[in-house]
Amino acid sequence: MDFAPPYARRGLEHDPQWYRRAVFYEVMVRSFADTNSDGIGDIPGLISKLDYLEWLGVDALWLPPFYSSPLLDGGYDVANFMTVLPEFGTIDDFQELVSQAHARNMRIVMDLPLNHTSDQHHWFQESRTNPSGPYGDYYVWSDTDEIRQHIRIIFSDTEDSNWAFDSERRQFYFHRFFSHQPDLNYHNPAVHSEMHDIARFWLGMGVDGFRLDAIPYLYESDEGTGESEPETHEFLRTFRSFLDTEFPGRVLIAEANQWPSETAEYLGTEETPECHMAFDFPIMPRIFYALRSQQAEPLQMVLAETVDIPPGTAWGVFLRNHDELTLEMVSEEERQALYGWYAYDPRMRVNVGIRRRLAPLLDNSRQELQLAHALLLSLPGSPFLYYGDEIGMGDNIWLEDRDSSRTPMQWSPDRNAGFSDADPGKLYLPVVQSLAFHYSSSNVETQLAQGTSLLHWVRNLIHLRKEHPVFGVGPLTVVSSDNPSVVAFVRDMPIEECKPGESPETLLCVYSFAHQPLSVTLSLPESFRANRVTEITGGGRFPSPNEQGQLVLTLPPQSFYWLSLAGIKASVA
Ligand code: GLC
Ligand code: CA
């Protein structure tokens, strides 16, 4: 079949900035659905579930690596960038996925781990056996492991050095992650052209963009920290201009677990752009902090510190993903509190984080799950959901490392939760059978049959968000409140962002983290003193702010309101 770009892209609505309004869904091919009964999810399985994802309201999929790999790091240890892991399917299957997704106006973003490869990659095998050959300089080799000792170790639970000795080449190689993942040498231009070729290969099949894995670590130097070094940004600017020239409209998403101002640098500037999106790491742990402390301040502070980002760029917000809930971006005090609340069993921890899923973290509390999702869907940027969280799936902390939250998707109460027909012992990981989250009750089919399920609730909220594009593109203004358990902000749609047929809109979002009912007085800035306040899920009329802009509200425990503010001009006049 001819999958040249025009065909593969058929079905997609034209919107060069689609990613600013999109709802993303992260799904690992391995974990979603198995069609050939080998116990491993595959691309045809994912294709068979596109209707479900479309129903849920998903606009774009983020697929973690599905390249050939020994799978010692969930596929982030790539052995060949131009092939699909045979257990997952073929290149033809992948092209079919792209075209089936596009036919539903759904985009596909795939992971591109640029920083390192598996030690099984033929580049590395040749580099270690033939130092003067064409691949000799593809990795970071050194005669001594005494240099760059100050560069921090990321996988602190498994690694005690960023160097490993290769007995064949009799030199040390640098690795920022597992020792079976040697870092590529970005000082070698040949590595750049390899990466451009790999990107071209997938973009040619119609892929809509890449999540750039572990992007801060591309370059390291003897003096620097090995994070966000200037050449890394230079590489990104070049990569972006290659993309804009050869594949306009495709996007780059930065995975940079850094403070907001440093992360924002990965978006570049208007004149010298880098990525279109970057994940917002600091906001996420503060949501979890607020839920237990009932204190809104840390979240409010991080929101108020909004870093200006270039026009046309966006944050990616998330509650959970395939990694641990990282606690690198909080203070030591907050970290200890978060460990105490959410990782009271040492098995729940890994590296600097917590290896649990959303629903178990929140003790399966429906209120907390709703509050967390409401925040996710209303914070500035585009939300990234993690597969299974829409049904409140559980985890399995008895599995190793981050596999605890990468277990098979639970589709039905049938054998293997409907994920696979294989002998249960053959599954790549067992399905969750814990008391509170057993797949016999926690699954898509059961929740579809129940109108009040979390799945229906999440779906409704996603669809509601999509009716209000201000959530995607409107700037945020924090609104001050007199209650320490409340966070409130306004999202306001500038007229320039409106597409034909859309009109500007102003929404007031109010969240109570208190475990009891409360009342709060909000002080609305002059420009938001509406004379008509309406709740957007049911259209109910709320009190309007007084002349001074004070708005008094009462909220049930752990709840939220999304209120539309109208008639603003009249009240100011
Ligand atoms: C990224 C991935 C993580 C992986 C690491 C090393 O942080 O999200 O899963 O282990 O890179 O490849
Ligand atoms: Ca399979």
Side-chain angles (χ1 to χ4, degrees), residues 30 33-45 86-89 419-420:
R30 177 155 77 140
D34 169 25
T35 52
N36 64 347
S37 310
D38 63 355
I40 302 170
D42 40 55
I43 297 175
E87 288 87 325
F88 293 169
F419 161 77
S420 168

Side-chain angles (χ1 to χ4, degrees), residues 75-277:
Y76 285 91
D77 46 333
V78 181
N80 184 339
F81 286 97
M82 308 267 206
T83 52
V84 172
L85 184 75
E87 288 87 325
F88 293 169
T90 61
I91 291 278
D92 281 350
D93 291 333
F94 181 71
Q95 292 188 328
E96 181 65 13
L97 171 69
V98 172
S99 95
Q100 295 255 2
H102 286 176
R104 293 167 172 81
N105 197 27
M106 201 185 284
R107 262 108 174 161
I108 304 277
V109 170
M110 58 189 278
D111 234 296
L112 186 57
L114 293 168
N115 178 65
H116 46 263
T117 69
S118 159
D119 58 7
Q120 303 302 306
H121 198 293
H122 82 94
W123 298 340
F124 187 71
Q125 289 307 321
E126 293 182 42
S127 198
R128 60 193 288 258
T129 48
N130 185 7
S132 52
Y135 300 99
D137 205 19
Y138 266 43
Y139 295 86
V140 184
W141 293 102
S142 164
D143 289 331
T144 165
D145 60 354
E146 310 222 308
I147 52 169
R148 303 180 187 170
Q149 285 298 333
H150 59 285
I151 296 187
R152 82 183 164 108
I153 294 164
I154 297 171
F155 286 167
S156 50
D157 280 5
T158 34
E159 302 298 331
D160 50 23
S161 167
N162 286 320
W163 292 103
F165 187 70
D166 180 67
S167 54
E168 178 79 35
R169 182 157 161 162
R170 307 209 62 76
Q171 275 189 311
F172 294 91
Y173 62 87
F174 187 81
H175 61 88
R176 223 33 226 283
F177 294 92
F178 290 120
S179 57
H180 57 76
Q181 282 168 320
D183 270 43
L184 285 162
N185 175 19
Y186 275 82
H187 291 285
N188 180 357
V191 169
H192 297 209
S193 50
E194 295 278 9
M195 287 306 172
H196 283 82
D197 287 348
I198 290 161
R200 234 177 243 125
F201 176 76
W202 294 101
L203 292 163
M205 282 184 243
V207 161
D208 298 286
F210 297 115
R211 167 192 181 264
L212 299 181
D213 177 65
I215 201 70
Y217 314 112
L218 295 193
Y219 279 84
E220 47 281 316
S221 59
D222 289 349
E223 316 72 40
T225 59
E227 302 187 14
S228 307
E229 299 210 359
E231 292 102 325
T232 295
H233 286 287
E234 217 165 279
F235 170 83
L236 276 174
R237 288 191 286 270
T238 312
F239 198 71
R240 170 66 183 265
S241 74
F242 140 75
L243 192 84
D244 286 350
T245 315
E246 296 186 30
F247 300 94
R250 320 295 176 91
V251 305
L252 300 177
I253 308 175
E255 187 221 7
N257 187 358
Q258 317 272 331
W259 291 103
S261 55
E262 210 173 313
T263 308
E265 287 177 18
Y266 286 91
L267 300 169
T269 65
E270 212 175 343
E271 297 72 38
T272 51
E274 297 183 20
C275 295
H276 301 77
M277 297 183 77

Side-chain angles (χ1 to χ4, degrees), residues 187-500:
H187 291 285
N188 180 357
V191 169
H192 297 209
S193 50
E194 295 278 9
M195 287 306 172
H196 283 82
D197 287 348
I198 290 161
R200 234 177 243 125
F201 176 76
W202 294 101
L203 292 163
M205 282 184 243
V207 161
D208 298 286
F210 297 115
R211 167 192 181 264
L212 299 181
D213 177 65
I215 201 70
Y217 314 112
L218 295 193
Y219 279 84
E220 47 281 316
S221 59
D222 289 349
E223 316 72 40
T225 59
E227 302 187 14
S228 307
E229 299 210 359
E231 292 102 325
T232 295
H233 286 287
E234 217 165 279
F235 170 83
L236 276 174
R237 288 191 286 270
T238 312
F239 198 71
R240 170 66 183 265
S241 74
F242 140 75
L243 192 84
D244 286 350
T245 315
E246 296 186 30
F247 300 94
R250 320 295 176 91
V251 305
L252 300 177
I253 308 175
E255 187 221 7
N257 187 358
Q258 317 272 331
W259 291 103
S261 55
E262 210 173 313
T263 308
E265 287 177 18
Y266 286 91
L267 300 169
T269 65
E270 212 175 343
E271 297 72 38
T272 51
E274 297 183 20
C275 295
H276 301 77
M277 297 183 77
F279 285 107
D280 190 334
F281 278 92
I283 216 159
M284 175 272 304
R286 288 173 176 77
I287 297 177
F288 289 97
Y289 187 86
L291 285 168
R292 286 288 181 278
S293 68
Q294 306 180 56
Q295 296 297 313
E297 198 194 345
L299 179 61
Q300 181 133 346
M301 297 243 298
V302 120
L303 284 173
E305 272 174 35
T306 35
V307 184
D308 278 335
I309 56 173
T313 62
W315 294 109
V317 283
F318 60 98
L319 296 166
R320 292 294 296 111
N321 60 25
H322 69 286
D323 284 328
E324 67 272 30
L325 189 171
T326 151
L327 299 181
E328 281 170 11
M329 293 298 122
V330 294
S331 69
E332 186 52 34
E333 211 180 320
E334 289 166 331
R335 189 173 307 132
Q336 290 314 325
L338 286 159
Y339 274 140
W341 289 316
Y342 294 110
Y344 39 85
D345 182 330
R347 283 203 71 89
M348 296 171 174
R349 303 182 189 184
V350 69
N351 304 321
V352 189
I354 304 176
R355 52 190 205 98
R356 302 180 73 195
R357 260 189 183 270
L358 184 64
L361 281 166
L362 303 187
D363 247 335
N364 214 11
S365 151
R366 182 64 183 263
Q367 270 110 310
E368 292 187 10
L369 285 165
Q370 294 188 177
L371 187 56
H373 275 100
L375 273 160
L376 175 70
L377 293 174
S378 63
L379 288 170
S382 301
F384 282 70
L385 288 94
Y386 183 50
Y387 86 95
D389 283 348
E390 73 275 25
I391 56 167
M393 225 169 96
D395 53 29
N396 183 349
I397 57 165
W398 306 104
L399 299 174
E400 291 305 312
D401 198 1
R402 291 153 294 166
D403 278 351
S404 49
S405 44
R406 298 175 179 178
T407 60
M409 178 67 177
Q410 295 165 197
W411 295 104
S412 73
D414 301 342
R415 172 162 48 126
N416 301 326
F419 161 77
S420 168
D421 290 340
D423 183 314
K426 211 177 164 190
L427 299 194
Y428 76 95
L429 287 176
V431 290
V432 171
Q433 305 188 50
S434 65
L435 291 178
F437 296 96
H438 198 283
Y439 69 84
S440 61
S441 52
S442 176
N443 64 70
V444 171
E445 190 178 288
T446 303
Q447 295 205 17
L448 278 178
Q450 191 188 6
T452 56
S453 64
L454 182 68
L455 175 60
H456 281 292
W457 190 89
V458 169
R459 175 185 187 252
N460 289 341
L461 204 71
I462 291 175
H463 284 264
L464 183 64
R465 174 192 157 101
K466 291 169 68 153
E467 286 164 24
H468 297 273
V470 60
F471 283 128
V473 296
L476 174 143
T477 310
V478 173
V479 170
S480 64
S481 101
D482 69 348
N483 192 311
S485 296
V486 171
V487 165
F489 51 80
V490 166
R491 303 294 308 276
D492 183 31
M493 179 97 158
I495 186 115
E496 318 80 74
E497 295 281 5
C498 293
K499 288 187 182 179

